[in-house]
Amino acid sequence: MATHSNVLAWRIPWAEEPERLQSMGSQRVRHEISFVEMSSRKSKSSNLIQADYVSQVQRILRERFCHQSPHGNLFGVQVQYKHLIELLKRTAIHGESNSVLIIGPRGSGKTMLINHALKELMEVEGVSENILQVHLNGLLQINDKIALKEITRQLNLENVVGDKVFGSFAENLSFLLEALKKGDRTSSCPVIFILDEFDLFAHHKNQTLLYNLLDISQSAQTPVVIIGLTCRLDILELLEKRVKSRFSHRQIHLMNSFSFPQYLKIFKEQLSLPSIFPEKIFAEKWNENVQSLSEDRSVKEVLQKHFNVSKNLRSLHMLLMLALNRVTPSHPFITAADLMEANQLCSMDSKGNIVHGLSVLEICLIIAMKHLNDIYEEEPFNFQMVYNEFQKFVQRKAHSVYNFEKPVVMKFVGTYCPLLSLPSNYILKRNYSLNST
């Protein structure tokens, strides 16, 4: 029996060394656990890297969509750009004063054209140190007094202490004119005045600022160029006779005249990543995905509808921005479905969204408020008037509309008036309140 057991033990080695087998199994388990931990660490690090790439892509493209960057490409305005840059170079290099109006609809690229021209001008040797720029906006500088203070501050003249400008309107005007008239074309620094929303400056009292700036541009004093940006075609009709006589009547018109193939090319260029993107492999995959999107039939249909509605690049940037917002580390590339959903958001009616999902009672009460608004010509009305109008509607449509009780109707009016952008006293009149019955 002992011999038989010895034979079994000889033939079965783990019957003699159970501890060794346990240690081998535990080593194998530890090895598998460490392998799993390493693979999980690698997946986490790859996810972090992917998230970093996605954040960089979103930062680059959002900056391109939201800001008129001078580093992008110009589309369809090469002739206008050549005219503008020649005008600026004549002022900056030869000391020739000029004035010009850039006219075009909103989103046609007026600001982008100016930024590109100024960027090229500053790259000319010896120009960037000897030229001054003044940027004004009619929405911010609402009168000549504020505009003069802003000009004085940007030119950093003597009556500026820090960022504050001291002196009355007459003193600032005389001080500015004296500073500009002292110079000549050979020794003075040229000054570029860029007036955005130029038509709003024409509504200032007596157009004093425009008159004096254009008067300087017509004299042999400090070389200045006045560039006005506006979307009004009748801008010259807004100028007074004395101001119009001092304007050079140069006009640069911008119209979005490119075709759909050019629009498709703009779409690709706006979404493509630059060659300086740090991760070359990811940039290549992204650009390949953009190329495949531009060839996709459903994407072309979306862009064609967008092109038929509006050709301006601002609306295209809004479409691409909405699609870009759907890019995440788990969804790193824009798809055709993203663009289709973005197009639906762009074309969605905001007023229709407010009433979307409302019940029959809620829609009926909105109609009643609209009728009262038309009858009383936007005069305030109270809850009882709304309820009476609703009762008349129910009597006319008794077979299709349920007659709700007054407390139910009152609850809706108190809840939904803020959502309808109605002021708190809009449905109150003669000291009525929503709680009155």
PDB file of all heavy atoms in Angstrom, residues 103-137:
ATOM      1  N   ILE A 103     -18.562  99.456 -47.889  1.00  0.00           N
ATOM      2  CA  ILE A 103     -20.004  99.252 -47.774  1.00  0.00           C
ATOM      3  C   ILE A 103     -20.333  97.799 -48.096  1.00  0.00           C
ATOM      4  O   ILE A 103     -19.858  97.250 -49.097  1.00  0.00           O
ATOM      5  CB  ILE A 103     -20.772 100.199 -48.719  1.00  0.00           C
ATOM      6  CG1 ILE A 103     -20.389 101.659 -48.427  1.00  0.00           C
ATOM      7  CG2 ILE A 103     -22.269 100.006 -48.577  1.00  0.00           C
ATOM      8  CD1 ILE A 103     -20.951 102.647 -49.432  1.00  0.00           C
ATOM      9  N   GLY A 104     -21.128  97.184 -47.256  1.00  0.00           N
ATOM     10  CA  GLY A 104     -21.542  95.809 -47.504  1.00  0.00           C
ATOM     11  C   GLY A 104     -22.491  95.337 -46.419  1.00  0.00           C
ATOM     12  O   GLY A 104     -22.511  95.888 -45.315  1.00  0.00           O
ATOM     13  N   PRO A 105     -23.287  94.304 -46.690  1.00  0.00           N
ATOM     14  CA  PRO A 105     -24.215  93.795 -45.670  1.00  0.00           C
ATOM     15  C   PRO A 105     -23.462  93.174 -44.507  1.00  0.00           C
ATOM     16  O   PRO A 105     -22.269  92.870 -44.602  1.00  0.00           O
ATOM     17  CB  PRO A 105     -25.038  92.741 -46.430  1.00  0.00           C
ATOM     18  CG  PRO A 105     -24.167  92.339 -47.572  1.00  0.00           C
ATOM     19  CD  PRO A 105     -23.372  93.547 -47.951  1.00  0.00           C
ATOM     20  N   ARG A 106     -24.158  92.985 -43.409  1.00  0.00           N
ATOM     21  CA  ARG A 106     -23.543  92.385 -42.238  1.00  0.00           C
ATOM     22  C   ARG A 106     -23.123  90.957 -42.549  1.00  0.00           C
ATOM     23  O   ARG A 106     -23.880  90.181 -43.127  1.00  0.00           O
ATOM     24  CB  ARG A 106     -24.505  92.411 -41.045  1.00  0.00           C
ATOM     25  CG  ARG A 106     -24.917  93.820 -40.669  1.00  0.00           C
ATOM     26  CD  ARG A 106     -25.589  93.877 -39.312  1.00  0.00           C
ATOM     27  NE  ARG A 106     -26.072  95.233 -39.028  1.00  0.00           N
ATOM     28  CZ  ARG A 106     -25.321  96.198 -38.550  1.00  0.00           C
ATOM     29  NH1 ARG A 106     -24.039  95.973 -38.299  1.00  0.00           N
ATOM     30  NH2 ARG A 106     -25.825  97.397 -38.313  1.00  0.00           N
ATOM     31  N   GLY A 107     -21.897  90.635 -42.135  1.00  0.00           N
ATOM     32  CA  GLY A 107     -21.377  89.307 -42.406  1.00  0.00           C
ATOM     33  C   GLY A 107     -20.687  89.164 -43.740  1.00  0.00           C
ATOM     34  O   GLY A 107     -20.299  88.055 -44.126  1.00  0.00           O
ATOM     35  N   SER A 108     -20.508  90.270 -44.469  1.00  0.00           N
ATOM     36  CA  SER A 108     -19.868  90.189 -45.786  1.00  0.00           C
ATOM     37  C   SER A 108     -18.352  90.225 -45.705  1.00  0.00           C
ATOM     38  O   SER A 108     -17.676  90.016 -46.708  1.00  0.00           O
ATOM     39  CB  SER A 108     -20.368  91.335 -46.683  1.00  0.00           C
ATOM     40  OG  SER A 108     -20.095  92.596 -46.088  1.00  0.00           O
ATOM     41  N   GLY A 109     -17.777  90.526 -44.542  1.00  0.00           N
ATOM     42  CA  GLY A 109     -16.324  90.472 -44.385  1.00  0.00           C
ATOM     43  C   GLY A 109     -15.636  91.825 -44.354  1.00  0.00           C
ATOM     44  O   GLY A 109     -14.447  91.910 -44.679  1.00  0.00           O
ATOM     45  N   LYS A 110     -16.328  92.871 -43.935  1.00  0.00           N
ATOM     46  CA  LYS A 110     -15.719  94.207 -43.896  1.00  0.00           C
ATOM     47  C   LYS A 110     -14.599  94.266 -42.865  1.00  0.00           C
ATOM     48  O   LYS A 110     -13.488  94.743 -43.152  1.00  0.00           O
ATOM     49  CB  LYS A 110     -16.791  95.263 -43.589  1.00  0.00           C
ATOM     50  CG  LYS A 110     -17.921  95.340 -44.600  1.00  0.00           C
ATOM     51  CD  LYS A 110     -18.870  96.475 -44.313  1.00  0.00           C
ATOM     52  CE  LYS A 110     -19.661  96.261 -43.042  1.00  0.00           C
ATOM     53  NZ  LYS A 110     -20.591  95.120 -43.142  1.00  0.00           N
ATOM     54  N   THR A 111     -14.871  93.794 -41.664  1.00  0.00           N
ATOM     55  CA  THR A 111     -13.852  93.807 -40.602  1.00  0.00           C
ATOM     56  C   THR A 111     -12.688  92.897 -40.951  1.00  0.00           C
ATOM     57  O   THR A 111     -11.519  93.234 -40.705  1.00  0.00           O
ATOM     58  CB  THR A 111     -14.491  93.374 -39.270  1.00  0.00           C
ATOM     59  OG1 THR A 111     -15.607  94.224 -38.990  1.00  0.00           O
ATOM     60  CG2 THR A 111     -13.487  93.463 -38.136  1.00  0.00           C
ATOM     61  N   MET A 112     -12.979  91.743 -41.526  1.00  0.00           N
ATOM     62  CA  MET A 112     -11.920  90.815 -41.919  1.00  0.00           C
ATOM     63  C   MET A 112     -11.029  91.439 -42.990  1.00  0.00           C
ATOM     64  O   MET A 112      -9.802  91.275 -42.970  1.00  0.00           O
ATOM     65  CB  MET A 112     -12.535  89.508 -42.430  1.00  0.00           C
ATOM     66  CG  MET A 112     -11.517  88.432 -42.772  1.00  0.00           C
ATOM     67  SD  MET A 112     -12.298  86.853 -43.152  1.00  0.00           S
ATOM     68  CE  MET A 112     -13.274  87.295 -44.594  1.00  0.00           C
ATOM     69  N   LEU A 113     -11.618  92.176 -43.923  1.00  0.00           N
ATOM     70  CA  LEU A 113     -10.843  92.853 -44.965  1.00  0.00           C
ATOM     71  C   LEU A 113      -9.897  93.882 -44.353  1.00  0.00           C
ATOM     72  O   LEU A 113      -8.710  93.945 -44.730  1.00  0.00           O
ATOM     73  CB  LEU A 113     -11.804  93.518 -45.956  1.00  0.00           C
ATOM     74  CG  LEU A 113     -11.176  94.216 -47.161  1.00  0.00           C
ATOM     75  CD1 LEU A 113     -10.615  93.184 -48.131  1.00  0.00           C
ATOM     76  CD2 LEU A 113     -12.190  95.101 -47.865  1.00  0.00           C
ATOM     77  N   ILE A 114     -10.403  94.672 -43.405  1.00  0.00           N
ATOM     78  CA  ILE A 114      -9.566  95.666 -42.732  1.00  0.00           C
ATOM     79  C   ILE A 114      -8.423  94.999 -41.971  1.00  0.00           C
ATOM     80  O   ILE A 114      -7.259  95.434 -42.031  1.00  0.00           O
ATOM     81  CB  ILE A 114     -10.429  96.517 -41.778  1.00  0.00           C
ATOM     82  CG1 ILE A 114     -11.242  97.537 -42.568  1.00  0.00           C
ATOM     83  CG2 ILE A 114      -9.584  97.240 -40.751  1.00  0.00           C
ATOM     84  CD1 ILE A 114     -10.438  98.701 -43.093  1.00  0.00           C
ATOM     85  N   ASN A 115      -8.727  93.930 -41.241  1.00  0.00           N
ATOM     86  CA  ASN A 115      -7.700  93.253 -40.448  1.00  0.00           C
ATOM     87  C   ASN A 115      -6.595  92.683 -41.323  1.00  0.00           C
ATOM     88  O   ASN A 115      -5.409  92.761 -40.984  1.00  0.00           O
ATOM     89  CB  ASN A 115      -8.332  92.151 -39.603  1.00  0.00           C
ATOM     90  CG  ASN A 115      -9.212  92.689 -38.493  1.00  0.00           C
ATOM     91  OD1 ASN A 115      -9.094  93.847 -38.111  1.00  0.00           O
ATOM     92  ND2 ASN A 115     -10.106  91.871 -37.980  1.00  0.00           N
ATOM     93  N   HIS A 116      -6.951  92.095 -42.453  1.00  0.00           N
ATOM     94  CA  HIS A 116      -5.939  91.552 -43.365  1.00  0.00           C
ATOM     95  C   HIS A 116      -5.071  92.665 -43.944  1.00  0.00           C
ATOM     96  O   HIS A 116      -3.845  92.512 -44.057  1.00  0.00           O
ATOM     97  CB  HIS A 116      -6.615  90.774 -44.503  1.00  0.00           C
ATOM     98  CG  HIS A 116      -6.936  89.358 -44.153  1.00  0.00           C
ATOM     99  ND1 HIS A 116      -8.000  89.014 -43.358  1.00  0.00           N
ATOM    100  CD2 HIS A 116      -6.322  88.186 -44.497  1.00  0.00           C
ATOM    101  CE1 HIS A 116      -8.042  87.704 -43.226  1.00  0.00           C
ATOM    102  NE2 HIS A 116      -7.041  87.174 -43.894  1.00  0.00           N
ATOM    103  N   ALA A 117      -5.710  93.774 -44.322  1.00  0.00           N
ATOM    104  CA  ALA A 117      -4.951  94.883 -44.903  1.00  0.00           C
ATOM    105  C   ALA A 117      -3.989  95.486 -43.881  1.00  0.00           C
ATOM    106  O   ALA A 117      -2.835  95.788 -44.201  1.00  0.00           O
ATOM    107  CB  ALA A 117      -5.917  95.939 -45.439  1.00  0.00           C
ATOM    108  N   LEU A 118      -4.438  95.673 -42.647  1.00  0.00           N
ATOM    109  CA  LEU A 118      -3.566  96.221 -41.611  1.00  0.00           C
ATOM    110  C   LEU A 118      -2.423  95.263 -41.280  1.00  0.00           C
ATOM    111  O   LEU A 118      -1.292  95.697 -41.025  1.00  0.00           O
ATOM    112  CB  LEU A 118      -4.373  96.522 -40.345  1.00  0.00           C
ATOM    113  CG  LEU A 118      -5.372  97.683 -40.432  1.00  0.00           C
ATOM    114  CD1 LEU A 118      -6.183  97.792 -39.153  1.00  0.00           C
ATOM    115  CD2 LEU A 118      -4.656  98.998 -40.719  1.00  0.00           C
ATOM    116  N   LYS A 119      -2.690  93.968 -41.309  1.00  0.00           N
ATOM    117  CA  LYS A 119      -1.638  92.987 -41.034  1.00  0.00           C
ATOM    118  C   LYS A 119      -0.543  93.059 -42.090  1.00  0.00           C
ATOM    119  O   LYS A 119       0.651  93.066 -41.779  1.00  0.00           O
ATOM    120  CB  LYS A 119      -2.238  91.586 -40.987  1.00  0.00           C
ATOM    121  CG  LYS A 119      -1.218  90.472 -40.742  1.00  0.00           C
ATOM    122  CD  LYS A 119      -1.910  89.129 -40.653  1.00  0.00           C
ATOM    123  CE  LYS A 119      -0.880  88.006 -40.481  1.00  0.00           C
ATOM    124  NZ  LYS A 119      -0.090  87.786 -41.704  1.00  0.00           N
ATOM    125  N   GLU A 120      -0.955  93.129 -43.366  1.00  0.00           N
ATOM    126  CA  GLU A 120       0.045  93.228 -44.435  1.00  0.00           C
ATOM    127  C   GLU A 120       0.793  94.557 -44.360  1.00  0.00           C
ATOM    128  O   GLU A 120       2.006  94.616 -44.604  1.00  0.00           O
ATOM    129  CB  GLU A 120      -0.622  93.078 -45.800  1.00  0.00           C
ATOM    130  CG  GLU A 120       0.363  93.138 -46.954  1.00  0.00           C
ATOM    131  CD  GLU A 120      -0.293  92.927 -48.305  1.00  0.00           C
ATOM    132  OE1 GLU A 120      -1.395  92.345 -48.343  1.00  0.00           O
ATOM    133  OE2 GLU A 120       0.295  93.357 -49.320  1.00  0.00           O
ATOM    134  N   LEU A 121       0.087  95.630 -43.998  1.00  0.00           N
ATOM    135  CA  LEU A 121       0.735  96.943 -43.905  1.00  0.00           C
ATOM    136  C   LEU A 121       1.789  96.947 -42.807  1.00  0.00           C
ATOM    137  O   LEU A 121       2.880  97.524 -42.981  1.00  0.00           O
ATOM    138  CB  LEU A 121      -0.328  98.015 -43.636  1.00  0.00           C
ATOM    139  CG  LEU A 121       0.171  99.463 -43.589  1.00  0.00           C
ATOM    140  CD1 LEU A 121       0.651  99.897 -44.968  1.00  0.00           C
ATOM    141  CD2 LEU A 121      -0.929 100.387 -43.087  1.00  0.00           C
ATOM    142  N   MET A 122       1.485  96.304 -41.666  1.00  0.00           N
ATOM    143  CA  MET A 122       2.438  96.291 -40.554  1.00  0.00           C
ATOM    144  C   MET A 122       3.668  95.431 -40.845  1.00  0.00           C
ATOM    145  O   MET A 122       4.689  95.556 -40.172  1.00  0.00           O
ATOM    146  CB  MET A 122       1.743  95.784 -39.279  1.00  0.00           C
ATOM    147  CG  MET A 122       0.698  96.739 -38.760  1.00  0.00           C
ATOM    148  SD  MET A 122       1.381  98.385 -38.457  1.00  0.00           S
ATOM    149  CE  MET A 122      -0.103  99.334 -38.201  1.00  0.00           C
ATOM    150  N   GLU A 123       3.571  94.561 -41.842  1.00  0.00           N
ATOM    151  CA  GLU A 123       4.720  93.733 -42.201  1.00  0.00           C
ATOM    152  C   GLU A 123       5.699  94.457 -43.121  1.00  0.00           C
ATOM    153  O   GLU A 123       6.807  93.970 -43.357  1.00  0.00           O
ATOM    154  CB  GLU A 123       4.246  92.443 -42.866  1.00  0.00           C
ATOM    155  CG  GLU A 123       3.509  91.510 -41.905  1.00  0.00           C
ATOM    156  CD  GLU A 123       2.915  90.306 -42.604  1.00  0.00           C
ATOM    157  OE1 GLU A 123       2.969  90.280 -43.862  1.00  0.00           O
ATOM    158  OE2 GLU A 123       2.398  89.404 -41.920  1.00  0.00           O
ATOM    159  N   VAL A 124       5.295  95.630 -43.644  1.00  0.00           N
ATOM    160  CA  VAL A 124       6.196  96.420 -44.477  1.00  0.00           C
ATOM    161  C   VAL A 124       7.282  97.025 -43.593  1.00  0.00           C
ATOM    162  O   VAL A 124       7.003  97.535 -42.507  1.00  0.00           O
ATOM    163  CB  VAL A 124       5.425  97.530 -45.228  1.00  0.00           C
ATOM    164  CG1 VAL A 124       6.372  98.399 -46.046  1.00  0.00           C
ATOM    165  CG2 VAL A 124       4.356  96.916 -46.120  1.00  0.00           C
ATOM    166  N   GLU A 125       8.498  96.979 -44.053  1.00  0.00           N
ATOM    167  CA  GLU A 125       9.636  97.423 -43.246  1.00  0.00           C
ATOM    168  C   GLU A 125       9.543  98.917 -42.946  1.00  0.00           C
ATOM    169  O   GLU A 125       9.345  99.746 -43.835  1.00  0.00           O
ATOM    170  CB  GLU A 125      10.943  97.133 -43.995  1.00  0.00           C
ATOM    171  CG  GLU A 125      12.195  97.442 -43.198  1.00  0.00           C
ATOM    172  CD  GLU A 125      13.458  97.082 -43.951  1.00  0.00           C
ATOM    173  OE1 GLU A 125      13.343  96.555 -45.069  1.00  0.00           O
ATOM    174  OE2 GLU A 125      14.546  97.347 -43.414  1.00  0.00           O
ATOM    175  N   GLY A 126       9.664  99.268 -41.670  1.00  0.00           N
ATOM    176  CA  GLY A 126       9.673 100.662 -41.247  1.00  0.00           C
ATOM    177  C   GLY A 126       8.306 101.289 -41.073  1.00  0.00           C
ATOM    178  O   GLY A 126       8.214 102.465 -40.707  1.00  0.00           O
ATOM    179  N   VAL A 127       7.230 100.539 -41.320  1.00  0.00           N
ATOM    180  CA  VAL A 127       5.892 101.120 -41.224  1.00  0.00           C
ATOM    181  C   VAL A 127       5.307 100.940 -39.830  1.00  0.00           C
ATOM    182  O   VAL A 127       4.701 101.865 -39.276  1.00  0.00           O
ATOM    183  CB  VAL A 127       4.960 100.488 -42.287  1.00  0.00           C
ATOM    184  CG1 VAL A 127       3.510 100.887 -42.031  1.00  0.00           C
ATOM    185  CG2 VAL A 127       5.380 100.929 -43.677  1.00  0.00           C
ATOM    186  N   SER A 128       5.490  99.775 -39.241  1.00  0.00           N
ATOM    187  CA  SER A 128       4.832  99.473 -37.966  1.00  0.00           C
ATOM    188  C   SER A 128       5.253 100.429 -36.853  1.00  0.00           C
ATOM    189  O   SER A 128       4.473 100.721 -35.952  1.00  0.00           O
ATOM    190  CB  SER A 128       5.137  98.027 -37.553  1.00  0.00           C
ATOM    191  OG  SER A 128       6.538  97.835 -37.435  1.00  0.00           O
ATOM    192  N   GLU A 129       6.504 100.943 -36.889  1.00  0.00           N
ATOM    193  CA  GLU A 129       6.961 101.860 -35.842  1.00  0.00           C
ATOM    194  C   GLU A 129       6.508 103.287 -36.074  1.00  0.00           C
ATOM    195  O   GLU A 129       6.544 104.116 -35.154  1.00  0.00           O
ATOM    196  CB  GLU A 129       8.493 101.843 -35.731  1.00  0.00           C
ATOM    197  CG  GLU A 129       9.090 100.486 -35.368  1.00  0.00           C
ATOM    198  CD  GLU A 129       9.300  99.602 -36.580  1.00  0.00           C
ATOM    199  OE1 GLU A 129       9.047 100.091 -37.714  1.00  0.00           O
ATOM    200  OE2 GLU A 129       9.697  98.434 -36.405  1.00  0.00           O
ATOM    201  N   ASN A 130       6.089 103.629 -37.303  1.00  0.00           N
ATOM    202  CA  ASN A 130       5.816 105.023 -37.646  1.00  0.00           C
ATOM    203  C   ASN A 130       4.362 105.275 -38.012  1.00  0.00           C
ATOM    204  O   ASN A 130       4.062 106.260 -38.695  1.00  0.00           O
ATOM    205  CB  ASN A 130       6.706 105.445 -38.823  1.00  0.00           C
ATOM    206  CG  ASN A 130       8.185 105.320 -38.490  1.00  0.00           C
ATOM    207  OD1 ASN A 130       8.601 105.619 -37.384  1.00  0.00           O
ATOM    208  ND2 ASN A 130       8.974 104.853 -39.458  1.00  0.00           N
ATOM    209  N   ILE A 131       3.452 104.414 -37.570  1.00  0.00           N
ATOM    210  CA  ILE A 131       2.042 104.607 -37.926  1.00  0.00           C
ATOM    211  C   ILE A 131       1.192 104.439 -36.675  1.00  0.00           C
ATOM    212  O   ILE A 131       1.503 103.654 -35.778  1.00  0.00           O
ATOM    213  CB  ILE A 131       1.617 103.614 -39.028  1.00  0.00           C
ATOM    214  CG1 ILE A 131       0.350 104.110 -39.724  1.00  0.00           C
ATOM    215  CG2 ILE A 131       1.399 102.214 -38.472  1.00  0.00           C
ATOM    216  CD1 ILE A 131       0.057 103.401 -41.021  1.00  0.00           C
ATOM    217  N   LEU A 132       0.118 105.221 -36.590  1.00  0.00           N
ATOM    218  CA  LEU A 132      -0.798 105.179 -35.450  1.00  0.00           C
ATOM    219  C   LEU A 132      -2.172 104.742 -35.934  1.00  0.00           C
ATOM    220  O   LEU A 132      -2.594 105.107 -37.039  1.00  0.00           O
ATOM    221  CB  LEU A 132      -0.891 106.550 -34.780  1.00  0.00           C
ATOM    222  CG  LEU A 132       0.414 107.124 -34.216  1.00  0.00           C
ATOM    223  CD1 LEU A 132       0.208 108.563 -33.761  1.00  0.00           C
ATOM    224  CD2 LEU A 132       0.933 106.271 -33.067  1.00  0.00           C
ATOM    225  N   GLN A 133      -2.869 103.972 -35.097  1.00  0.00           N
ATOM    226  CA  GLN A 133      -4.204 103.498 -35.426  1.00  0.00           C
ATOM    227  C   GLN A 133      -5.196 103.965 -34.371  1.00  0.00           C
ATOM    228  O   GLN A 133      -4.904 103.932 -33.178  1.00  0.00           O
ATOM    229  CB  GLN A 133      -4.237 101.969 -35.496  1.00  0.00           C
ATOM    230  CG  GLN A 133      -3.370 101.360 -36.578  1.00  0.00           C
ATOM    231  CD  GLN A 133      -3.488  99.846 -36.598  1.00  0.00           C
ATOM    232  OE1 GLN A 133      -4.551  99.292 -36.328  1.00  0.00           O
ATOM    233  NE2 GLN A 133      -2.391  99.178 -36.933  1.00  0.00           N
ATOM    234  N   VAL A 134      -6.366 104.379 -34.834  1.00  0.00           N
ATOM    235  CA  VAL A 134      -7.463 104.768 -33.940  1.00  0.00           C
ATOM    236  C   VAL A 134      -8.705 104.006 -34.376  1.00  0.00           C
ATOM    237  O   VAL A 134      -9.154 104.140 -35.523  1.00  0.00           O
ATOM    238  CB  VAL A 134      -7.730 106.283 -33.985  1.00  0.00           C
ATOM    239  CG1 VAL A 134      -8.927 106.635 -33.105  1.00  0.00           C
ATOM    240  CG2 VAL A 134      -6.504 107.064 -33.539  1.00  0.00           C
ATOM    241  N   HIS A 135      -9.246 103.192 -33.478  1.00  0.00           N
ATOM    242  CA  HIS A 135     -10.434 102.388 -33.776  1.00  0.00           C
ATOM    243  C   HIS A 135     -11.623 102.939 -32.999  1.00  0.00           C
ATOM    244  O   HIS A 135     -11.595 103.014 -31.770  1.00  0.00           O
ATOM    245  CB  HIS A 135     -10.194 100.925 -33.394  1.00  0.00           C
ATOM    246  CG  HIS A 135      -9.132 100.254 -34.202  1.00  0.00           C
ATOM    247  ND1 HIS A 135      -9.418  99.461 -35.297  1.00  0.00           N
ATOM    248  CD2 HIS A 135      -7.774 100.272 -34.091  1.00  0.00           C
ATOM    249  CE1 HIS A 135      -8.284  99.010 -35.816  1.00  0.00           C
ATOM    250  NE2 HIS A 135      -7.278  99.488 -35.105  1.00  0.00           N
ATOM    251  N   LEU A 136     -12.646 103.339 -33.726  1.00  0.00           N
ATOM    252  CA  LEU A 136     -13.882 103.845 -33.114  1.00  0.00           C
ATOM    253  C   LEU A 136     -15.060 103.015 -33.590  1.00  0.00           C
ATOM    254  O   LEU A 136     -15.031 102.442 -34.683  1.00  0.00           O
ATOM    255  CB  LEU A 136     -14.108 105.317 -33.482  1.00  0.00           C
ATOM    256  CG  LEU A 136     -13.005 106.310 -33.113  1.00  0.00           C
ATOM    257  CD1 LEU A 136     -13.364 107.700 -33.629  1.00  0.00           C
ATOM    258  CD2 LEU A 136     -12.787 106.354 -31.606  1.00  0.00           C
ATOM    259  N   ASN A 137     -16.094 102.968 -32.753  1.00  0.00           N
ATOM    260  CA  ASN A 137     -17.312 102.234 -33.102  1.00  0.00           C
ATOM    261  C   ASN A 137     -18.515 103.091 -32.741  1.00  0.00           C
ATOM    262  O   ASN A 137     -18.614 103.601 -31.619  1.00  0.00           O
ATOM    263  CB  ASN A 137     -17.359 100.898 -32.348  1.00  0.00           C
ATOM    264  CG  ASN A 137     -18.431  99.965 -32.889  1.00  0.00           C
ATOM    265  OD1 ASN A 137     -19.598 100.323 -32.980  1.00  0.00           O
ATOM    266  ND2 ASN A 137     -18.026  98.759 -33.250  1.00  0.00           N
TER     267      ASN A 137
END
